[in-house]
Amino acid sequence: MKRLEKLVSIKDLPEAPVSNVPSLNQKTGTWRVFRPIVDKEKCIKCSICWRCCPDISIEIDNEGFPIINYDYCKGCGICAHECPKTAISMDREGK
Amino acid sequence: MIEIRFHGRGGQGAVVASNILADAAFKEGKYVQAFPYFGVERRGAPVTSFTRIDKDPIKIKSQVYKPNYIVVLDPTLMNVTDVTSGLDKDGIVLINSDKYPKYYNLSFKTATVDATSIAIENKLGSRMAPIVNTSILGAFAKISGEVMLESIVLAIKESAPSKKEENIKAAKQAYEKTIM
Amino acid sequence: MVKKIMTGNIAAAWGARLSRAEVIAAYPITPQTIIVEKLAQFVSDGELKAEYLHVESEHSAMAACIAASQTGARTFTATSSQGLVLMHELLHWASGARAPIVMANVNRALAPPWSVWVEHTDMMSQRDTGWIQFYAESNQEVLDTTIMCYKLCEDKDIQLPAMIGLDAFYLSHTSEIVDIPDQEKVDKFLPKFEPAYPLDVENPLSIGSLSMPHQWYPEFRYKIQEAMERVIPKLNKIEEEFYKEFGRKYTGPLELYNTEDAEVVLIISGAATGTVKETVDILRKKGIKVGVIRLRMFRPFPSDYLVKALSKISFIGVIDRSFSFGHEGAIYSEIKASLYGLNAPLIKNFIVGMGGRDITTDTITKIYENCFSCLKNNKIDIPVEWIDIKV
Ligand code: SF4
Ligand code: SF4
């Protein structure tokens, strides 16, 4: 199946609206204006931020700290807002 | 085409009776249709069901208004329902009753059979709620000549979920004991 | 092949069983019918190898069917009236996702007031959902159409869902003689479902994700219509094949009865057609030239077929067992539109049998008489007339 974005005519379309382009191709990191940064000193590894991220852009490392994937983090700030220890700051990009 | 209307109370098996009769006629190579009055069936509530039998395919899909036969599964319905409504002037009324037909003093040919006693004797249903449908069908074969008793027996054999032998015996006894 | 006495409900269940439905999802409460109980029994007795899902609503039943269908399972469900309208949102989803689900719908009136009796409003109000719609006249047709629908819907050129309407009580609870085809023959007629785009974890796909206005939304909708346009030709072929295999003939989207030389023709759908045919026989014996056309299919709407069938008719009476409030009967609207710009005959709409009001040979005779009197005056008295209203 061709990738939908490569299609030019209705004749190229599959019969049903299916796509084999994974959403991983959609790098939402380019949308970011503010960048979340975790302060490991303050972090208590509660993983609330991990649960709240709407773009599944946070992973937990071996030690239990959150790691933010900036390819996909869109900078919405929900993690920072929900962190009980204000361990995540939102810094303007490109500063 | 002949049309039969059954009157019973919910739980007595009027709907099943209309189906078994249809099945019996079908086994004789006829075209058939059977259906309940399109009502809400509740135990004890008056229930009506119909059978149509014809040598040709049956097209009509409306209710029966002018039946050739009326079969009454419960004698108490005689007082509460106008059971003979629409009956053809040459039609026959068959009543489950321990009375003689003339007791009912109807202006139609009338037959009676004590299907309740026959059902109880054969342990069909309970004493309080005997299931009389198979007995009454034996009587119907006798008074109508529209289906053979053997076909009724065959249809019961195939469709009765339990007590096949008792149901068959009841039909045969009723066939013998019907008075007209 | 074995002939048995059975109700329309049981015939529908047999249709799904013989088609080897693999997933059945249903919500078992009123107005649900014996169809899904019978299927549950088939599954629990091991006579049908299917996944039977008890869900919490008809909406969920359809959601489950869509997902199952997209993994490549042949999927069946049954519903009726309120249940069907509760599915409405997901009916659109099913056709949009091109899931070839087959569903039996016992046609019943909608509440309030409560009514479990026949009417077609439940299905008529789903006409824009992208489902193919059949209305059956007999229990045999319910069974046969179910099998044929899988072949039709799963065809790579179609990939659309279909619903088969069976009139409440007049079919659903009425016992008739039904010929149950041999499983072997059905297997030969209906091969296994091969989905075009199966959901498979090894080979991931997403279905139905966002399409921006500049992307492909209108094109996917257009494709549904293109598929709809292929339905009737495909159906004709499938019916031909069915006839060869099983010896029962179906006549495409329309069934014509004594229309050849008829002056007045009624158009109707569903079980009451039988009563109209009976009336036609009675009137024909008196030398009155009447006929009837049964609309077996409402979507896609067979305009071309109707135009052809009606070309020599002087008067058309359209019977709708449903109503589009604020307007007229839906079949009437469609037929008028089909005849637009042509040399159309006189045409009148009769609204009959709502909420299960019995349609008798007397009712139909009255309607034919009414048509003849309009024809004589060359004028329609009341364009949309409700019949048998107690005034
Ligand atoms: S800013 Fe938003 S997207 Fe980025 S990691 Fe936090 S919650 Fe996720
Ligand atoms: S919510 Fe805050 S404290 Fe909890 S894991 Fe995330 S950064 Fe650490």
Side-chain angles (χ1 to χ4, degrees), chain A residues 38 42-50 66 83-85 87-88:
Chain A
V38 179
K42 289 186 181 173
C43 173
I44 57 165
K45 307 181 189 177
C46 69
S47 76
I48 286 175
C49 55
W50 170 79
C83 174
K85 294 291 170 190
I88 303 178

Side-chain angles (χ1 to χ4, degrees), chain A residues 36 49 52-55 57-58 68 72-80 90:
Chain A
C49 55
C52 292
C53 174
D55 255 348
S57 306
I58 304 182
I68 292 168
Y72 299 102
C73 163
K74 59 187 179 186
C76 69
I78 289 175
C79 52
M90 298 297 292

